[in-house]
Each structure stands twice: as structure tokens, then as C-alpha cells.
Amino acid sequence: MEIPSKMTFLKLAMTFFFIAMAARADVNQKLCQSEPDTTDMAYGDIVHCEIAAVADVDAFRFTGQVGEKMNIHVLRYTNNANLCFRVIEPDQTIGGYTCMGRSIFGTDVSVGANFDVGKAGVHTIQVVDSNNDETARYGITIQRLFPSSTFAKGLGAFGLVNSGAIVPRGDQDFYQITGNNGDTITVVLSRTAENANMCFSLIQPNGVVVSYTCAGRSIFGTDASVSADIRLTQTGSHFLHITDASFDETFSYNVNVQCIGVCPAQPPPPSRPEKLRFVPLTPCRVMETRAEYNFEGRTGPFGPPYMRAGETRTLLLPNSNVCQIPAAAKAYVVNVTLVPRPPGNVDFVTVYPGYQARPDVWTVRSPDGQIVANSAIVEAARTGAIDVYTASDTDIIIDIAGYFTDSLPAVSGNTVFYPLAPCRVLDTRILYRQTGPFGPPTMSARETRRFRFPASGCPGIPANAAAYAFTITVAPPQPLAFLTAWGAGGAQPNVSSINSLSGRILANSVVIPPGGDGSLDVFVYDRTDVILDITGYFGADDGATGLYYYPVPQRRFFDSRAANGQCGGPQFADTTTRTIPVATCASTPTAAKAYQITATALPNGSPMPFLTGWPTGQPMPNASFLNAFEGQVVSNSAIIPAGTSGSIDLHAFRRTHVAVDIAGYFGR
């Protein structure tokens, strides 16, 4: 029978599932199929579903192998139904009925059980209400506990503190521990946030679960830590299983495992993504919180309402209902635009990998309440999530132009980065360039103009580049609603590259794929001069000089407001150039060939016409990537090639403080 409310559930509840619940590599979230279809599941899935009518039965299908031990858990989201499940094996043998149970306090909100797979093939899980007289929305998850957890992480070493999070509700974490018969291990699990009743157990090499230990609750709350000494009786790979006792709460944690005995070396912890290749996308607006401009109908965290001061919103980008973003993405190329809400001041917005502690960096700032944009390369959490934090009330727009991936074999379109000496491709100001295809006149309101980058005269730009990395600067004589750049020949996308509603000279660095002959189309809504400075391009790997992207934990590595030193003060004076040893200040490898940075100028009200960055050891280019003519605080990102000893030079034309954050580097 058809159950339309399951799709209604998707539209109305997506905010709850994808903001309050963090998605992880061991969690693939989806909606169940409308009956009579059966929903296919795999280990690690969480499926959201609904007993939508009296006597409703939901069915889920998974493939199991003889000898596997799995955990099934059902968590009720709404109403008070006593949900039950049973497993039907390939030969139609029906396993036991497992129900939530009732008491004078109501019905339990979750039920779980371990199931030993005795027959290979397709199994069916049926979920029903015990009395066939109530409805409820719920989630169901399955995890493999033995012979190995599908998503186990290496412990790294005994005594090493590993951090994690049980998010979303129903999530489970696994750590692989190599131990010998006779060793004694001590497990200490500490909660770092929330108030869940956290538990852990140890799964032996033979699949037997031992030492199920929980923090416990009392009238005073839940204990903040739990520990146990466990004597190992087998040699081989054990699995430490961490979860919430009732599968209905989330928490962040630290876990530390000590060992007494032979204590062999441990499997390594998960490594950060590395050697990422770029895949361009047709520019697409993935987030739009302004209801009047949300034409495509973005839902959940991708759409309205505006973000309030202190709010963090989690975006699982592969789940966008407007943009096609693959789950293989490990980092995103995005453009973030702020539209401040009254009274209008936005101290800062930070975009960072999902479900992690917020780094002390700025993605974009608007302390004076202007509409501003800045691009960024943002590393994704393990299933594609990013977090957006705002310190002030604001609408936020995020456009995506591509992503980085390490998926193998290489997907079609994977490219690497080739840095170029910064070069001015285009300048429409009549005082700075002669008339021609890359010079004057000023662009008129509603004009689209085409520029073929390889013909600009800047050296090293190939005709077959997959994308260009460049800085757009606008110098409008009046307010400029927006400028949009995109690959020539394609339809103009519903995105913007830069805005200047105040009529200021502003800059923004972008990565945009061109048309087939290397051309870009540029549209301006209002009359303005336009300057384009290129810093590199993405193209097919030549096997020698093309650079992969390596994300690093976002951090501030230079701040002239700090104590005097090579990574700090003093303040930039007029026409000052400073050499910044990025390898020293940001702890990047000496093999890094270019850096993804965000620079913020803080001129304290004094006009600061431009800031320029380039590789140390090369001459200062006729290019810039940041302007603050009105002395305002301005942030802008850039890819700057590394120079002598991995350093970069920054030049400020007028006195200002400068803070520089790093998100990654490019190297071979």
C-alpha cells in the first residue's frame, strides 16, 4: 500500500535528522521504501521509516554470511507504540520476536538485539507495532560485530587517547585492538559532551561479547566516565564497541586503552585524506536561507530560516536536494555569502569539517553589516558533512563549484593543480589598460562578456584547463548587486561570485571551470569595472608537476596582532612586505608547493587599498587578492604558491594588521 506520509516525513523532519544528528562513515542515512517495496540495507545503514497505519508492516532486506554476528536496533522517534522486530532467514525460518516493552512509565524508546547469522543469503527484518493499533516514526540500524566490524578504526597505540562521537542516535563506534591471551587491558571511556548513558563492550576474536559496561544513571544524572579491567582469553583481533545504552542519545567521548602483558603493536588510527584530486562541478547554490530567493525548494538545513547568533548548522552536502554532490567528496570548493540580518553586524562565520570542534579561524566577516562573500576549500567529515557557525544573525548562501576526492580508481574529471605566477588577465579600467578583449570599456549593467583566458597574454594558461583559480575584483561606481562567472557556452547558473551592495572595491578568489575553449562568461547586474588575476589552474595530471591537495586542520598560523616574531607582529606599516615562513608557522611539509589560505585585513578604519601575496624569491606581481579602501575588516582566500624555503611574501599598501589561516596545501 502507498504511504505518502513517508515522503512527508522526509520534507518535514530533515532538519531534525541532519542537524541534530551527525552523519559518519559508519552511518549511511536514508528513507525506507513505500510499501509493498522492501528496503535494502547494508551494515552501517540507518534507515528512517514509519509505521504509518494500523497493522502496518515494514520490511528491510540485508545479505548475511554464515558466522557473522550482527546488532539490530530500532529507535522510536514519535508516539508511544511498542515496536517489535523479527528476522526471517533465507529458508524462511523466523527468528524470535524482540519488542521495546512497556512499564508504568510508558514504552521504551528503543530495542536492540544481537543476531547470529546461521545461513548465508538474503535475510528480512520485519518491524511492526506489537498490538497493530498504533503508529510511530522510527529508525533502524544494523551493524556487523563479528568477524570484524565493517568500520573499525585502528586504536593507534595503547595509552593513546582516541576521540569520537556517537552521532546520530543509533550510531556505534568500533576500535580494533590486537591482544594476546593473558594480557589485561583497562578501558576508560569519558564523555566530553552531552549526558548520554555511554556503554562499551569487547568482542573477542571468536565473536563472544564480554564486559558490557555502562556509565549508569542516577537522580543526579549520568556518570561522566566509565572504566573496566578486562583479561583477554584469546589471541587476535578484538573489537571495542562504543554506543549509547538506549540508542536514543548522542555524545562526544575520549577513550583510552592501557595494557599489561605482552601487549602487541596496535593497528594505526585513521589517516587524514591525502593526495586529493579536483573534480569541477557546474556551479550550484547548495544553501539559501532567504525564503524569497529559495526558488529551487531547498529543504532542511540547506534552506530557510536564517541562522541565529551562536547557531551551528550541519550540512551533509551529498544529501542536497538541489545540487548533485557525490559521497566520494573529501573537500569542497565553496563560495560563502553573508546577508546580515538587522541590526546588521556579523562578527564572523566559520565553515569547517562537520562534527568537529570549531577551529579559531574566520571564513568570512562583516562587522559593518555589508553583504560580503568569500570562497573556501573546506574539508568534509567522513560522510561529506560540513558545519557552518555564525556569531551573529545572518542569512547565508553557499555555492559549490567542485570537490576534491581520493576515490580510486580515479573518477572521470579528476584533475590536479598547476600554480602560476600571479598575473592580471583582465582589467577594464581605462587608466590601467589599453582597449582590447581584456581591457576597457567598463562593463555595463546586465552585460555578459566572454573572456578566453589562454589568449590573455598571461603565460602558462592552457586551452584545456579543467578550472581556473583566480581573484575577481570589482570597482563599481554605484551599488553592484552581483557578478557571476561561469564556463562559456553554458546557461548562467543561479550563483554569484561577488557582491558589492555598498559600491565598494572588493575582491573574492574563486575556482571556476571554463567552457570548452578555455573561455569564461562574466555577467554583471550593475555597471562596474572588473579585474581578474589568475594564480593557477586545474588540469590532467602530467605525472610530474601537477599538485594534489592535502587538507590540514584549519588553524591561524600568522597574526600581526600577536607578539613580534616571524609568525606574529609587528603591524604592517605603509608599503610593507613581509616574508612568512609557512612551513615553520603552519607546520606544513617542506615539500608543499602552494597553500590554501584565508587572509583577513584589520586596518582599523584606515584605508588599505590592497594586499598582495606571492612566492618568496619572485618579484611582486601586478595583482592583488584583498581590498579595504574604507578601512573595513575584510577576509579573502587565495591559493599562493610556495617560494624559497616554502615561504610566501605579503605586501600591504597601507598600514594594517593581518591574520592568516590555513586549510590545506598542494604538493606532489
Side-chain angles (χ1 to χ4, degrees):
M1 60 184 170
E2 183 68 17
I3 304 180
S5 58
K6 290 181 179 177
M7 292 310 297
T8 303
F9 178 36
L10 168 62
K11 296 176 181 177
L12 298 180
M14 199 63 71
T15 299
F16 174 76
F17 289 130
F18 296 108
I19 297 177
M21 306 196 303
R24 305 266 302 285
D26 46 351
V27 176
N28 176 30
Q29 301 193 63
K30 56 186 179 182
L31 292 173
C32 65
Q33 301 293 318
S34 297
E35 296 159 17
D37 295 335
T38 299
T39 303
D40 288 319
M41 294 187 69
Y43 292 121
D45 283 355
I46 288 181
V47 180
H48 308 298
C49 204
E50 181 178 16
I51 297 295
V54 173
D56 191 7
V57 178
D58 288 335
F60 306 88
R61 182 170 49 211
F62 74 94
T63 299
Q65 303 299 325
V66 175
E68 290 180 332
K69 180 187 291 290
M70 60 178 294
N71 176 272
I72 305 170
H73 220 97
V74 174
L75 170 67
R76 191 184 68 242
Y77 303 137
T78 63
N79 302 342
N80 199 40
N82 183 14
L83 297 183
C84 306
F85 68 82
R86 64 182 180 181
V87 178
I88 303 175
E89 298 191 70
D91 63 358
Q92 302 305 303
T93 300
I94 298 176
Y97 215 44
T98 305
C99 298
M100 290 181 173
R102 296 185 186 273
S103 69
I104 59 173
F105 302 105
T107 306
D108 296 337
V109 298
S110 70
V111 58
N114 292 341
F115 174 74
D116 292 313
V117 179
K119 301 178 180 67
V122 176
H123 298 64
T124 300
I125 304 171
Q126 291 182 338
V127 178
V128 299
D129 168 57
S130 63
N131 297 321
N132 289 330
D133 61 356
E134 295 187 84
T135 63
R137 293 169 181 165
Y138 66 92
I140 180 171
T141 179
I142 59 174
Q143 285 278 11
R144 185 172 67 186
L145 305 181
F146 180 81
S148 64
S149 165
T150 318
F151 304 102
K153 294 170 282 191
L155 188 66
F158 288 118
L160 178 68
V161 176
N162 284 273
S163 299
I166 297 301
V167 185
R169 300 188 303 174
D171 189 18
Q172 306 172 64
D173 273 358
F174 297 86
Y175 291 88
Q176 183 178 354
I177 300 173
T178 300
N180 293 320
N181 183 7
D183 290 345
T184 297
I185 63 171
T186 299
V187 179
V188 180
L189 178 64
S190 303
R191 190 180 65 244
T192 58
E194 295 83 38
N195 196 41
N197 183 11
M198 55 189 177
C199 303
F200 67 81
S201 60
L202 190 72
I203 305 169
Q204 298 184 131
N206 64 355
V208 175
V209 178
V210 298
S211 188
Y212 184 72
T213 307
C214 296
R217 293 186 185 274
S218 70
I219 59 174
F220 302 106
T222 306
D223 295 338
S225 67
V226 59
S227 64
D229 295 330
I230 307 172
R231 183 173 178 81
L232 305 184
T233 59
Q234 296 183 12
T235 296
S237 293
H238 300 66
F239 293 93
L240 182 67
H241 177 210
I242 299 174
T243 190
D244 168 61
S246 53
F247 278 64
D248 62 350
E249 295 187 82
T250 64
F251 64 92
S252 302
Y253 67 84
N254 291 327
V255 62
N256 187 355
V257 181
Q258 301 280 356
C259 179
I260 301 173
V262 177
C263 305
Q266 296 303 298
S271 59
R272 298 185 63 82
E274 59 178 27
K275 295 191 70 170
L276 302 184
R277 298 180 300 272
F278 177 69
V279 181
L281 295 173
T282 300
C284 181
R285 180 147 296 175
V286 67
M287 181 181 188
E288 170 64 89
T289 65
R290 301 171 299 175
E292 64 271 28
Y293 292 101
N294 188 24
F295 310 119
E296 293 91 347
R298 295 164 192 82
T299 58
F302 301 104
Y306 68 89
M307 290 187 63
R308 297 186 179 275
E311 179 183 348
T312 298
R313 190 174 294 189
T314 298
L315 305 179
L316 188 64
L317 293 195
N319 280 4
S320 167
N321 65 322
V322 173
C323 304
Q324 301 299 313
I325 304 170
K330 296 296 189 297
Y332 306 110
V333 178
V334 296
N335 193 52
V336 183
T337 302
L338 304 187
V339 184
R341 305 284 295 193
N345 299 331
V346 179
D347 186 11
F348 68 91
V349 165
T350 300
V351 185
Y352 55 101
Y355 320 118
Q356 297 185 14
R358 175 167 55 87
D360 185 19
V361 299
W362 304 318
T363 302
V364 60
R365 301 191 66 186
S366 183
D368 59 355
Q370 297 297 320
I371 296 176
V372 292
N374 187 28
S375 64
I377 299 177
V378 183
E379 183 183 356
R382 287 182 292 164
T383 50
I386 61 174
D387 279 352
V388 181
Y389 171 85
T390 178
S392 314
D393 289 358
T394 186
D395 279 298
I396 293 182
I397 304 159
I398 298 181
D399 301 326
I400 186 168
Y403 64 92
F404 290 87
T405 181
D406 60 357
S407 62
L408 294 174
V411 299
S412 176
N414 278 194
T415 59
V416 293
F417 182 65
Y418 296 86
L420 297 173
C423 181
R424 183 143 293 175
V425 171
L426 164 71
D427 192 337
T428 66
R429 299 173 298 176
I430 195 167
L431 294 178
Y432 294 90
R433 183 168 287 192
Q434 297 298 314
T435 300
F438 297 94
T442 299
M443 291 189 67
S444 302
R446 315 301 195 274
E447 179 185 356
T448 298
R449 197 178 293 182
R450 183 165 296 180
F451 304 99
R452 186 173 180 270
F453 274 42
S456 67
C458 287
I461 304 177
N464 60 347
Y468 299 127
F470 60 98
T471 297
I472 302 173
T473 302
V474 292
Q478 76 291 301
L480 168 66
F482 66 90
L483 176 153
T484 298
W486 71 98
Q492 181 178 337
N494 177 32
V495 301
S496 61
S497 303
I498 192 169
N499 316 79
S500 183
L501 271 295
S502 63
R504 290 172 171 170
I505 296 176
L506 292 176
N508 188 26
S509 298
V510 295
V511 175
I512 297 179
D517 66 346
S519 296
L520 288 178
D521 284 342
V522 176
F523 170 86
V524 297
Y525 192 81
D526 302 287
R527 185 171 180 266
T528 185
D529 277 307
V530 179
I531 302 104
L532 302 181
D533 298 325
I534 192 168
T535 58
Y537 66 93
F538 291 89
D541 189 2
D542 64 2
T545 60
L547 304 180
Y548 300 101
Y549 182 63
Y550 296 78
V552 301
Q554 293 167 291
R555 57 169 297 202
R556 180 154 300 152
F557 69 92
F558 177 87
D559 194 335
S560 66
R561 300 169 300 170
N564 289 354
Q566 58 185 355
C567 308
Q571 183 182 42
F572 283 72
D574 289 354
T575 61
T576 296
T577 298
R578 291 188 60 182
T579 296
I580 302 175
V582 182
T584 299
C585 298
S587 300
T588 54
T590 56
K593 302 300 183 184
Y595 308 104
Q596 170 63 29
I597 67 164
T598 296
T600 301
L602 304 105
N604 196 30
S606 299
M608 204 287 294
F610 67 86
L611 183 75
T612 298
W614 70 95
T616 299
Q618 297 184 15
M620 176 176 166
N622 177 30
S624 65
F625 69 90
L626 187 152
N627 311 86
F629 277 88
E630 297 183 18
Q632 76 274 23
V633 175
V634 179
S635 297
N636 194 25
S637 67
I639 301 174
I640 300 183
T644 304
S645 300
S647 299
I648 63 173
D649 285 352
L650 291 182
H651 175 87
F653 190 71
R654 288 291 182 262
R655 178 172 55 91
T656 186
H657 277 299
V658 177
V660 188
D661 306 326
I662 189 168
Y665 67 90
F666 291 86
R668 190 65 194 178

